[in-house]
Amino acid sequence: VGLLVGLVNGVVITKMGVNALVATLGSGQIVTGLTLVYSQGNAYNVNGGAFVVLGAGYVGAVPVALILLVGIGALAAVVLARSNYGRSLYATGGNPDAAYLSGIRVDAVRIATYVFSGAAAALAGIVYVGRVSSGQGNIGSGVELTVIAAVLIGGTSKPGGEGARWRSAAGVALLAILQNFFDQSSLNSFWQDVVQGAVIIGAVAVESVSKRKRRRIRLMFLGRPRTARAQARPPAGLQEALGNGATAELEYAGHQARVLPESPARTFR
């Protein structure tokens, strides 16, 4: 189910042009509603089987859930840093037009990413249900804001193209510390939502300010960005749009690149 939902999200976002946040939140609402209709709003006890093993089982003194966390995290780090898919993912997030012109199948990369995300969300749901030994259609509602906060705290760029697995893990750890603090203290637990909302706004603000500062420093000390001009034939799908023998200019700024044809009437950004 997680793979299917991820695939549908990827197709809707890439082929229909729906905003990613709107599409994923909407599909989440649909899945939650269908689950509640199927279960008639009832909770189901989970007392055995693979669910309990994954959520509450142990290998020696080590929880199975922790083994899954470390194993999947290490696999994700290797894929992002060492594979063609990982490099294509960073390029697509940084500048999809430049990635497309360089030969990357942008839509395929995006769809695959949503499929992997759906599978990871489904596995997380299985672990959570096994941990609490109960399943209900609306279980985990509101956790999406916690996930967004953890990723942004970890320094992942909101537009895309910049981030690391260990940074997101650090964001999760920080939120876990905050949650534990609220659980152990006598403070009203509702303040936790206030803190998380403030953290999301603060993380986005810090990212925007730091990007502006880096841009100013680069312009002050490096002057005009270095450019590399090369005679290049565009991909088959853009040959007619750019014209034969078009000259592509690649301008690098950090991890981002813009591909600009010579004709001012045909500028891709």
Side-chain angles (χ1 to χ4, degrees), residues 4-268:
L4 179 60
V5 173
L7 177 62
V8 171
N9 281 336
V11 172
V12 168
I13 292 167
T14 58
K15 303 302 183 183
M16 300 178 63
V18 179
N19 179 271
L21 183 61
V22 173
T24 51
L25 289 179
S27 65
Q29 290 257 10
I30 293 172
V31 172
T32 300
L34 291 176
T35 306
L36 290 173
V37 170
Y38 176 79
S39 64
Q40 298 183 350
N42 297 321
Y44 290 86
N45 293 326
V46 180
N47 298 319
F51 281 76
V52 175
V53 172
L54 292 176
Y58 282 81
V59 177
V62 182
V64 174
L66 179 60
I67 297 175
L68 288 174
L69 174 65
V70 175
I72 294 176
L75 178 62
V78 172
V79 169
L80 289 175
R82 303 293 181 182
S83 69
N84 289 332
Y85 167 75
R87 289 186 286 271
S88 298
L89 183 60
Y90 277 115
T92 300
N95 192 317
D97 293 327
Y100 177 76
L101 290 173
S102 66
I104 295 174
R105 299 173 61 190
V106 173
D107 286 353
V109 170
R110 283 178 169 173
I111 292 174
T113 303
Y114 283 106
V115 170
F116 295 149
S117 178
L123 179 59
I126 292 172
V127 172
Y128 186 79
V129 168
R131 185 174 182 82
V132 300
S133 298
S134 177
Q136 195 169 6
N138 59 354
I139 193 170
S141 296
V143 73
E144 55 273 1
L145 285 180
T146 303
V147 174
I148 293 173
V151 173
L152 293 178
I153 291 172
T156 298
S157 175
K158 182 172 60 66
E162 182 179 350
R165 191 272 315 167
W166 67 269
R167 295 180 186 176
S168 297
V172 171
L174 179 59
L175 285 185
I177 293 173
L178 287 175
Q179 182 176 1
N180 186 64
F181 169 76
F182 278 101
D183 291 340
Q184 298 297 326
S185 66
S186 58
L187 294 176
N188 191 329
S189 61
F190 295 124
W191 280 103
Q192 184 174 344
D193 295 332
V194 176
V195 172
Q196 284 188 3
V199 164
I200 293 175
I201 296 174
V204 175
V206 168
E207 177 197 358
S208 300
V209 171
S210 92
K211 279 189 174 181
R212 272 200 297 269
K213 286 184 177 180
R214 288 198 301 266
R215 191 179 300 115
R216 289 173 184 169
I217 293 174
R218 186 184 52 141
L219 292 176
M220 289 173 58
F221 294 99
L222 299 181
R224 199 176 169 190
R226 290 178 296 178
T227 61
R229 300 184 63 86
Q231 296 292 330
R233 296 184 66 84
L238 292 179
Q239 182 65 54
E240 182 178 352
L242 294 178
N244 294 327
T247 300
E249 179 181 4
L250 277 67
E251 181 178 352
Y252 292 92
H255 294 293
Q256 297 186 351
R258 292 183 298 167
V259 177
L260 307 176
E262 285 186 333
S263 173
R266 301 189 182 98
T267 300
F268 290 80

